[in-house]
Amino acid sequence: MAELKIQVVGEGLGLTLPREVIDQLHIQAGDSISLEKLPHGSYRLANLDDKLSEQMVLIEGYMHEEDA
């Protein structure tokens, strides 16, 4: 588990991601990530490209089910 420290950034708040998290998400400056609330109350941080890929796999699966 990585501990993240909240900092003041301009008029808002921000955090710095550890290098390990950056490498695992395959992100760089300027990329967008998603923060998704899970049903049991925790959160999931994901690369938007990974999230879109997951959605495409689900959509393709539904399409193939309808063809059968």
Side-chain angles (χ1 to χ4, degrees), residues 16-45:
T16 302
L17 297 174
R19 172 56 52 190
E20 175 185 335
V21 173
I22 292 168
D23 292 343
Q24 288 177 357
L25 290 172
H26 306 290
I27 57 173
Q28 58 186 1
D31 288 351
S32 294
I33 55 176
S34 68
L35 181 63
E36 179 181 355
K37 186 172 182 178
L38 301 176
H40 57 287
S42 63
Y43 287 86
R44 174 181 173 220
L45 188 65

